Amino acid sequence: MKAGRLALVLVSMASLAVLAQAPKQPDWTALQDETMRHYQAVLRLDTRNPPGNEHIVAEYVKQVLDKEGIASQIVGSDMNRSNLIARLKGNGKKRPLLIMGHSDVVTIDETKWKFPAFSATRDGGYVYGRGTVDDKDNLSASLMTMLLLKRLNVPLDRDVIFVSESGEEGSSGVGIGYLVKDRFPEIDAEYCLAEGGGVTRIGGQVKFATVQTLEKIPRGIELVAHGISGHGSVPLKSNAIVHLAGAVAKLGEWRPDIRFNETTGTYFRKLAAISPPEVAKYYRDVLSTDPKTRKAADDWLFENEPRHSSMLRTSVSPNIFQGGYRSNVIPSEAKATLDVRALPDEDPAKFLAQVKQVVNDPAVDVHFTGQSGREPGPDARLDSEAFKALEAAGMKVYGVQTLPTMSTGATDMAQLRTKEVQCFGIGPATDFEDPPKGFGAHSDQERLLESELHRFVRFTWEVVYDLAHAR
Ligand SMILES: [Zn+2]
């Protein structure tokens, strides 16, 4: 009895000692009201772009940070479209970590919304509103993480920088463009976390997490066919429209060579491992070195999963076709514009030469439309401390594997990557079934599950804590 009690005392003293050393953890249940309050508050600020008016978010965030004693600064080239930068200082052992969310949202068609787009209405476990999944979720999760780091007085091995960024939806000059050009020392970091990833739920079950580690580079190519003009009653062999149509048809049939990089190779391998056998086969086959096996899988993906097909190669989509102005006039010129999304390591000159070869018509001139606004930067490394932290948090918070992805579209992380910041795109869990039903980003009824907002705050915290706390 006595010995037993002594043992008990020793055990509880030991656990007290452990408790004293263990980092303080947030009380997640207690935080839910506060998270929801900030999330709804920023959703209710109308920052549709154009015109943006993102300063109202910057000001809201600033007063929240002020109350907490976190220093921040509102900056911008246009003060109606300002950004906010806040920083928590670490001991400088490691280079900073940047966490950001954009404060603008795309415009709305008011007539289509069941709940007003800036009402942040809570209904049936969801929050509805423009920006709920793009990108006031990332903004709120980053803000909450800053508040928690400060409140729990977490000693840091690196600075944690938080940015509320304007202009992401089509006017990055006031946002990331300005920040990288005029404020780079204030946001310079080893790693950054921003939008672009997410966690996929199918049938209400969390299946896997994705983290965006690189993206394709948008480039435009123009085709201009030249011919002799004349009377429409006398058909000519040199007809510019005929030559252009031929060129476009050839490019429409053409699928540039498949090339994997570290991210896409890992992505398809991991996807195959977690997918039902009937589709897993295609993800595995497309990685095959046997040309026939690979080709069959490529054909299937092109037809059934075009986004995956685009991830395999530099893609070409003819999207504008212009020529002619009267039915009885043979025009001397016709023009088509191709949307090219290049793999990050694509050699533009070589690729242009390939396009010319496919067109194979001296009457058709082929050239780039101009400078791409975005240049490729190094991809985020999968063997980095950051990716490992993201994988660990995915397992801890969601119990799933993390797949690195390359986005086919462009994001604001491109500008940071050109400055050698390793960027990772993250996001909350959403239902795979939601976007086709019209509940996704940019749709007329954007929404997020309340439970997934809270889980995403926790996920963001876990990653930031893992990467930044003093060891
Ligand atoms: Zn966005």
Side-chain angles (χ1 to χ4, degrees):
M1 174 88 188
K2 216 173 176 181
R5 183 165 292 176
L6 181 64
L8 205 70
V9 170
L10 284 174
V11 166
S12 47
M13 276 172 70
S15 50
L16 271 176
V18 169
L19 272 179
Q21 282 165 12
K24 273 182 257 166
Q25 284 296 311
D27 178 346
W28 296 111
T29 316
L31 277 170
Q32 292 195 356
D33 285 348
E34 187 183 2
T35 299
M36 188 54 71
R37 195 168 70 245
H38 293 315
Y39 184 56
Q40 283 186 304
V42 292
L43 286 169
R44 285 173 181 150
L45 298 171
D46 179 351
T47 51
R48 73 184 97 170
N49 177 12
N53 284 324
E54 296 92 332
H55 71 100
I56 54 180
V57 169
E59 279 151 25
Y60 175 83
V61 170
K62 180 146 201 341
Q63 56 86 18
V64 174
L65 293 169
D66 283 351
K67 258 188 226 151
E68 209 72 29
I70 301 171
S72 65
Q73 212 190 339
I74 293 181
V75 298
S77 53
D78 170 350
M79 289 321 275
N80 282 324
R81 311 210 55 187
S82 51
N83 307 275
L84 171 136
I85 307 173
R87 181 184 290 255
L88 288 169
K89 293 290 287 176
N91 60 25
K93 256 194 209 160
K94 297 175 181 173
R95 294 182 53 224
L97 166 65
L98 167 65
I99 52 179
M100 63 180 201
H102 66 84
S103 50
D104 61 326
V105 294
V106 289
T107 49
I108 54 157
D109 176 350
E110 246 141 307
T111 62
K112 302 272 169 63
W113 287 75
K114 180 173 167 204
F115 305 110
F118 297 100
S119 66
T121 303
R122 293 170 73 175
D123 186 73
Y126 289 90
V127 181
Y128 285 83
R130 176 59 85 225
T132 46
V133 290
D134 183 13
D135 181 36
K136 288 174 176 172
D137 47 343
N138 281 68
L139 188 79
S140 304
S142 300
L143 172 63
M144 288 305 296
T145 300
M146 292 297 276
L147 300 182
L148 287 171
L149 289 173
K150 181 73 176 26
R151 221 171 269 169
L152 299 177
N153 205 10
V154 177
L156 301 171
D157 270 349
R158 58 171 105 227
D159 293 4
V160 178
I161 307 165
F162 165 52
V163 166
S164 163
E165 177 212 9
S166 67
E168 194 277 338
E169 302 290 358
S171 32
S172 57
V174 296
I176 199 68
Y178 163 80
L179 291 167
V180 165
K181 193 170 128 283
D182 289 13
R183 296 278 172 178
F184 191 65
E186 290 156 70
I187 61 164
D188 187 10
E190 180 172 16
Y191 300 121
C192 105
L193 304 176
E195 67 175 341
V199 178
T200 301
R201 293 172 29 133
I202 301 174
Q205 291 283 314
V206 171
K207 297 291 183 189
F208 59 91
T210 58
V211 167
Q212 197 251 59
T213 52
L214 83 163
E215 61 191 65
K216 294 177 93 176
I217 311 296
R219 297 193 183 275
I221 287 183
E222 205 170 57
L223 308 179
V224 186
H226 299 281
I228 297 159
S229 65
H231 198 285
S233 64
V234 185
L236 295 175
K237 198 168 165 33
S238 75
N239 186 313
I241 289 182
V242 174
H243 283 264
L244 185 68
V248 168
K250 284 181 211 160
L251 290 168
E253 290 293 313
W254 181 48
R255 262 180 282 156
D257 289 343
I258 294 176
R259 198 161 70 248
F260 288 98
N261 50 48
E262 188 192 20
T263 290
T264 55
T266 309
Y267 173 79
F268 281 101
R269 231 177 353 261
K270 283 190 158 184
L271 191 62
I274 57 168
S275 298
E278 60 278 16
V279 284
K281 172 190 178 344
Y282 298 108
Y283 306 142
R284 212 171 292 119
D285 284 357
V286 83
L287 290 157
S288 165
T289 46
D290 172 51
K292 258 178 94 181
T293 309
R294 178 183 277 212
K295 167 88 169 59
D298 183 24
D299 287 346
W300 187 86
L301 290 174
F302 183 53
E303 196 167 331
N304 298 284
E305 297 182 356
R307 196 178 58 83
H308 279 151
S309 170
S310 177
M311 279 173 73
L312 300 172
R313 54 170 54 84
T314 292
S315 63
V316 178
S317 178
N319 294 348
I320 307 176
F321 194 103
Q322 298 162 294
Y325 54 96
R326 271 185 77 105
S327 65
N328 61 356
V329 173
I330 299 173
S332 59
E333 196 181 281
K335 231 187 252 185
T337 308
L338 314 174
D339 185 358
V340 174
R341 301 296 173 126
L343 289 175
D345 64 349
E346 190 67 74
D347 177 338
K350 253 191 181 156
F351 188 76
L352 193 70
Q354 273 185 291
V355 174
K356 284 180 183 166
Q357 216 171 41
V358 172
V359 169
N360 191 26
D361 182 347
V364 180
D365 179 37
V366 181
H367 55 257
F368 283 114
T369 51
Q371 266 299 99
S372 161
R374 309 192 198 238
E375 292 303 321
D379 40 331
R381 297 175 56 98
L382 304 189
D383 61 0
S384 64
E385 194 188 353
F387 192 73
K388 286 183 186 136
L390 287 156
E391 279 183 309
M395 197 43 86
K396 185 172 175 187
V397 178
Y398 295 99
V400 293
Q401 291 274 333
T402 296
L403 279 54
T405 64
M406 174 180 73
S407 65
T408 53
T411 76
D412 275 1
M413 288 187 281
Q415 282 92 331
L416 289 164
R417 287 189 177 125
T418 58
K419 301 289 253 178
E420 317 249 319
V421 181
Q422 290 194 56
C423 288
F424 299 87
I426 58 172
T430 52
D431 289 310
F432 182 72
E433 299 85 357
D434 249 13
K437 286 191 272 180
F439 294 116
H442 295 207
S443 76
D444 288 331
Q445 286 291 334
E446 206 177 320
R447 70 179 185 184
L448 179 62
L449 276 165
E450 292 186 12
S451 54
E452 293 303 351
L453 168 70
H454 299 305
R455 189 143 64 151
F456 183 50
V457 173
R458 197 181 145 210
F459 173 80
T460 307
W461 157 266
E462 294 288 351
V463 177
V464 172
Y465 182 84
D466 192 356
L467 282 176
H469 86 272
R471 289 173 197 270

